[in-house]
Amino acid sequence: MTVTVVCLAVCAAVAVLSTLPHGRFLRTAAVVVATVTLATAAVAAAVVSPAEGSTRGVVVTLVVVIAAFGGVGLVPLVFDLVEVDHRDHRPAEEPGAAATDDDTTALRSRPLRGGRVIGVLERVAVVGALVAGWPEGIAVVLAVKGLARYPEIRDQHAGEQFIIGTFASVLWAVAAAGVARLALT
């Protein structure tokens, strides 16, 4: 269990550090390190006996930190990957219209209002629901988020951003919760 806790602690530290402002290279490196240490923690948790005593609380706390802050670096990275794809496959421009990079960075430059904070809260709720053994909680979280954002996501770019960000965010939280379930059961 020691290897699992150490990997979770490293992953949590990297996840928190990934929230600091830095360039794309460092954000990518932080996401890769967090992913590798989370995967290592999963393997370690799968081969040892379940956590006992105060170690259970430490595992849950670290997993909540990983879920909450790990997505802060992951979601913009996924948006960067999508932006490259949009730029490479842009539909034909109207004759006489000049193509600019402003079109491809519009999504990145105007995130949905409050998206980062909502993402952190969303990941905490998802990981909490899964660790508590209530997977239906994911549906509740996504339904509330979708209803609250509905007026904003009717725009095509905002809708794409909402879907991509939500999927990346929830998948990260589910991965973190999966490690917790392995370590606790």
Side-chain angles (χ1 to χ4, degrees):
M1 188 53 55
T2 303
V3 173
T4 303
V5 172
V6 168
C7 288
L8 289 175
V10 169
C11 186
V14 171
V16 170
L17 290 174
S18 74
T19 64
L20 300 174
H22 43 64
R24 184 176 180 182
F25 175 77
L26 289 176
R27 182 175 57 227
T28 303
V31 168
V32 168
V33 169
T35 303
V36 167
T37 56
L38 188 62
T40 305
V43 170
V47 298
V48 298
S49 59
E52 296 177 353
S54 62
T55 307
R56 294 176 67 83
V58 171
V59 167
V60 170
T61 301
L62 289 172
V63 165
V64 169
V65 169
I66 290 166
F69 297 108
V72 174
L74 174 69
V75 172
L77 180 64
V78 172
F79 285 154
D80 287 346
L81 294 172
V82 171
E83 289 303 316
V84 170
D85 186 52
H86 282 305
R87 185 173 42 244
D88 293 341
H89 299 97
R90 178 182 297 165
E93 299 288 335
E94 292 182 23
T100 65
D101 282 337
D102 292 341
D103 297 334
T104 59
T105 58
L107 180 61
R108 191 178 325 136
S109 64
R110 286 184 273 131
L112 289 171
R113 187 175 37 83
R116 287 181 184 92
V117 174
I118 291 169
V120 169
L121 295 173
E122 167 190 43
R123 289 185 294 275
V124 168
V126 167
V127 78
L130 291 175
V131 169
W134 188 52
E136 297 85 0
I138 297 173
V140 173
V141 170
L142 295 179
V144 168
K145 183 179 177 185
L147 288 172
R149 287 285 197 186
Y150 181 72
E152 294 173 290
I153 61 175
R154 288 189 287 172
D155 174 59
Q156 178 185 358
H157 292 296
E160 289 175 2
Q161 185 181 26
F162 175 83
I163 291 169
I164 293 166
T166 299
F167 279 160
S169 183
V170 169
L171 286 174
W172 179 258
V174 167
V179 174
R181 295 293 289 182
L182 283 172
L184 298 175
T185 57

